């Protein structure tokens, strides 16, 4: 689908971020390059390693947080095209069947396909940080931001696939990696 947008008075980076968010994409600037990618595709990659809660590889002080009570159960997009008198609506239920309020998205869309993409992307963004974790592990150079890891643990609800959002490598009294993780979203 091809469409035209204009910057108006928005700074270019804000414009790009808004455009990416509406399409379910992410924007990364690294090493002087601008990269646009699909978070869903990145999250679908195979885990680079398994981190087992309680193993000697995981250092004390790990923390898991869940905000499931704040998650949305669906996203609803509704837009009235005043010139054509047309109303475009789309309802996207949460693939993980969460319970909670419906996210109402009020942005301009030009087609049903655009409404579907916007609903899916908006719900993904709203529910992305529902389950998070932070931990320090024995150093491993494959642990970098953007990779997926498998977390295995004794507690129900902790185990699963997580995306590494931040990895801070340090060498001092041994090689340690501090990790910030969020659970991978399935079906978005």
């Amino acid at each position: 689908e091809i469409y035209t947008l204009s910057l108006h008075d928005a700074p270019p980076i804000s414009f790009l971020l808004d455009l990416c968010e509406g399409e379910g994409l992410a924007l990364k600037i690294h090493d002087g390059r601008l990269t646009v990618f699909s978070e869903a595709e990145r999250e679908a990659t195979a885990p680079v390693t398994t981190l087992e809660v309680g193993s000697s590889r995981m250092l004390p002080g790990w923390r898991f947080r869940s905000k499931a009570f704040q998650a949305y159960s669906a996203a609803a997009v509704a837009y009235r095209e005043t010139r054509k008198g047309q109303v475009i609506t789309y309802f996207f239920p949460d693939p993980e069947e969460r319970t909670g309020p419906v996210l109402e998205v009020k942005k301009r869309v030009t087609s049903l396909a655009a409404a579907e993409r916007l609903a899916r992307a908006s719900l993904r963004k709203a529910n992305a940080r529902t389950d998070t974790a932070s931990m320090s592990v024995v150093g491993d150079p494959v642990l970098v931001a953007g990779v997926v890891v498998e977390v295995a643990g004794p507690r129900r609800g902790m185990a699963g696939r997580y995306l590494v959002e931040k990895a801070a490598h340090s060498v001092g009294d041994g090689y340690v990696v501090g990790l910030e993780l969020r659970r991978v979203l399935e079906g978005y």
Side-chain angles (χ1 to χ4, degrees), residues 25-76:
L25 301 171
L27 182 68
K28 176 174 123 175
I29 300 172
H30 176 71
D31 201 22
R33 291 187 147 159
L34 175 71
T35 306
V36 176
F37 61 93
S38 166
E39 285 190 330
E41 287 177 14
R42 178 167 282 180
E43 290 178 10
T45 60
V48 296
T49 191
T50 298
L51 303 173
E52 188 161 345
V53 176
S55 72
S56 59
R57 185 175 178 196
M58 190 175 289
L59 304 175
W62 48 267
R63 206 167 76 195
F64 287 82
R65 292 171 299 282
S66 179
K67 297 178 186 173
F69 61 93
Q70 294 176 336
Y72 289 97
S73 62

Side-chain angles (χ1 to χ4, degrees), residues 173-186:
D173 295 331
Y175 178 24
V176 175
V177 183
L179 299 171
E180 296 292 327
L181 313 171
R182 73 166 172 79
R183 187 180 297 274
V184 166
L185 296 171
E186 303 287 344

Side-chain angles (χ1 to χ4, degrees), residues 3 5 20 22 25 33 36-37 41 50 62 64 84 87 92 103 112 122 134 140 145 161 178-179:
Y3 50 88
L5 299 171
C20 286
L25 301 171
R33 291 187 147 159
V36 176
F37 61 93
E41 287 177 14
T50 298
W62 48 267
F64 287 82
K84 296 178 185 175
V87 176
F92 180 72
L103 176 64
L112 189 57
S122 298
S134 60
D140 187 340
R161 294 165 32 93
L179 299 171

Side-chain angles (χ1 to χ4, degrees), residues 48-119:
V48 296
T49 191
T50 298
L51 303 173
E52 188 161 345
V53 176
S55 72
S56 59
R57 185 175 178 196
M58 190 175 289
L59 304 175
W62 48 267
R63 206 167 76 195
F64 287 82
R65 292 171 299 282
S66 179
K67 297 178 186 173
F69 61 93
Q70 294 176 336
Y72 289 97
S73 62
V77 174
Y79 180 74
R80 175 180 292 280
E81 179 63 59
T82 54
R83 287 180 290 155
K84 296 178 185 175
Q86 177 186 22
V87 176
I88 300 171
T89 60
Y90 190 83
F91 184 83
F92 180 72
D94 180 67
E96 296 180 9
E97 299 179 358
R98 301 176 206 258
T99 57
V102 173
L103 176 64
E104 292 184 27
V105 183
K106 297 178 181 178
K107 286 190 176 179
R108 182 177 184 266
V109 291
T110 57
S111 68
L112 189 57
E116 179 182 359
R117 286 193 310 273
L118 180 60

